[in-house]
Amino acid sequence: MKQNLSRSLARVRDSFLAFTTGQKVVAIIGGAAVLLAALMVFRWAATPNYAPLFSNLASSDASAVIDELDAEGVPYELANNGSTVMVPKDQVYATRIALSGKGLPGNSGDSGGGYSLLDNQSISTSQFQEQTDFKRAMEGELAKTIEAMDGVDAAIVHLALPPAKVFADQQDPPTASVMLDTSAGTTFTPEQVQSVVHLVASSIDGLTPENVTVADAQGRMLSSSDAAGLGASSRDQQLTDFQNQMSAKVQSVLDRVLGPGNSTVQVTADLDFDKAVQDTTTYTTDPTAVPLSSSSQTETYAGPGGGSGSTGVVGPDGQMGPGVGATGGSGSSSYKKESVTEDNAVGTVVEHRETAPGSINSLHAAVVLDTAAARMINPSDVEKMVAAAMGIDKKRGDTLDVSTMAFDRTADNAAAAELAAAKAAEKKANDMAMFRNIGIAVAIALAVLLAWLRGRRRAKQREDATTYLVEQLRQDAARRTTTTAAVETSPALAALERSENNAADEMRRELADLVERQPEDVAALLRGWLVERP
């Protein structure tokens, strides 16, 4: 067995030494690749399949769980920025039961806050304790809900819930404050801040979005309350977005006319963020409509004046003054009075109008055109076009200024030169990579071709040597056949022949091995014999 193994190793070594340089490189690289693949497969098969043991752990709980796993010798991995502990899948339940028996984790899940605080209340719980537990439970639930948002690592919610009063007009409104710890590289957008504000406001009875304040872990105010319900950051963001939108609208028009880079636009807007409420009551009537009710009164008086006395108007002191047309003894008078009262139907229109914040008080725009590009264009036409695109209203106080100036192209030329240099360098790198790949491909093709030619030549030499040996063996067999009869008549000659045959067989095996190991040397030797042969 040992000799067979040594012989096999010797054959492998001799075969490898007989390879050409290219074949040796290919064999080494192929063997290394096979070994690497086998190692990776073995490592993958030997690596245990991990599953979550606990998720959303606090830092203190995660540290306690890891210490216990180290003490028990259980392998583990951390995920989700250290908030999830993973162990081999076949050990999850046993490890979880063992840690739960030791009170781990202590503050994770519902044990650290939320509605679970209300589970331990008894009949002896005071009203103050009940209100405090309710406030803590709401704070915990809101913090968990906010932490479920993408990009939020931790959230702290504080609620200020004033005690209820008898009269509603004396009730103080509730307020809330939220502090967020976002993930590294994550910035909360105004829309996300507003979603947090409205989420908290909708969860507490009587809480309005204006009374919710949001800040981040760095102490920056993300949302502040004001009368209009818009924070200062929201107003600035809306103003910036509006100005950028107007500038982009005008810039797109100018780029189509003058070409990109030949004009610039700057827009300044004055927006009204005040919230206005207007109540209007208007009364209307229809003259052609039938009155709801009507009444008329007529009074007529006719007769002579007083017979013996004078007629007149009673004065302030009760004395009778002279009357018009008074006579000494007789006269005539007449009096007539008519009044009509009608109740018509009156229509009432009540209008309640609220003006949303963000209306435009005024717009101010400045447009600068490049002198070289604006030679064939009338600036007044550009001014009319920009005014129509922006909706400039001079009665509102809007201003628009269009001017032409020579642009400084130094930065543009430098950028163009750098871009051209970068493109040239990239093209050169691509060309070099292509040439290198082509050279490698040609070298590999040449190595394969040379290996093929070398193998073909060795195969031809092996075939020639084998043919010669077969011919020699055939001649030996013929000679042995002619002497068989003579050998059979003498036992001594038969024994001698058998020993010679064994020696010849051993020599043929060694010669065949030599041909397999060194076909080129055997072929050269045979060619030398053939040349020297008469």
Side-chain angles (χ1 to χ4, degrees), residues 22 27 38 119 371 429 495 529:
D119 297 338
T371 305
W529 289 350

Side-chain angles (χ1 to χ4, degrees), residues 15 26 77 121 245 489:
S15 299
V26 173
E77 289 183 354
Q121 292 184 352
Q245 181 182 2
T489 59

Side-chain angles (χ1 to χ4, degrees), residues 247-401:
S247 300
K249 184 187 299 184
V250 177
Q251 190 67 56
S252 63
V253 176
L254 294 177
D255 290 343
R256 293 295 299 272
V257 177
L258 300 176
N262 293 322
S263 61
T264 182
V265 180
Q266 183 66 38
V267 177
T268 302
D270 182 12
L271 302 182
D272 184 12
F273 290 100
D274 296 335
K275 182 180 180 180
V277 179
Q278 181 181 2
D279 294 329
T280 305
T281 303
T282 305
Y283 299 96
T284 61
T285 182
D286 187 4
T288 61
V290 178
L292 297 177
S293 62
S294 63
S295 63
S296 62
Q297 183 179 1
T298 302
E299 183 180 353
T300 303
Y301 174 80
S308 59
S310 62
T311 63
V313 179
V314 179
D317 53 357
Q319 300 297 324
M320 183 70 70
V324 179
T327 58
S330 63
S332 62
S333 63
S334 178
Y335 171 80
K336 185 177 182 181
K337 178 182 179 182
E338 295 181 359
S339 64
V340 178
T341 302
E342 294 182 351
D343 295 332
N344 297 320
V346 179
T348 305
V349 178
V350 179
E351 182 179 3
H352 178 79
R353 178 176 298 179
E354 294 184 3
T355 303
S359 60
I360 301 175
N361 288 333
S362 61
L363 287 176
H364 308 280
V367 180
V368 181
L369 309 178
D370 187 13
T371 305
R375 293 177 180 176
M376 304 300 295
I377 298 178
N378 190 357
S380 60
D381 296 337
V382 176
E383 183 176 358
K384 294 178 181 179
M385 178 178 60
V386 174
M390 294 183 59
I392 297 295
D393 187 3
K394 294 185 178 180
K395 296 180 181 180
R396 190 174 54 189
D398 298 348
T399 59
L400 174 62
D401 181 48

Side-chain angles (χ1 to χ4, degrees), residues 20 23 445-459:
T20 61
Q23 291 176 339
L446 290 176
V448 172
L449 181 60
L450 291 176
W452 179 75
L453 293 176
R454 188 74 175 269
R456 185 177 179 182
R457 184 176 61 184
R458 291 182 59 188

Side-chain angles (χ1 to χ4, degrees), residues 12 55 117 163 168 177 187 241 263 282-283 290 293 312 387 395 411 441 507:
V12 172
S55 301
L117 294 174
S177 61
T187 302
D241 293 342
S263 61
T282 305
Y283 299 96
V290 178
S293 62
K395 296 180 181 180
M507 186 177 295

Side-chain angles (χ1 to χ4, degrees), residues 134-168:
F134 174 75
K135 186 172 76 70
R136 291 177 57 196
M138 293 302 300
E139 291 175 349
E141 292 296 329
L142 288 174
K144 292 178 183 178
T145 304
I146 296 173
E147 288 175 355
M149 295 182 177
D150 293 337
V152 179
D153 290 341
I156 301 176
V157 180
H158 294 291
L159 298 177
L161 304 178
K165 295 185 178 181
V166 178
F167 300 100

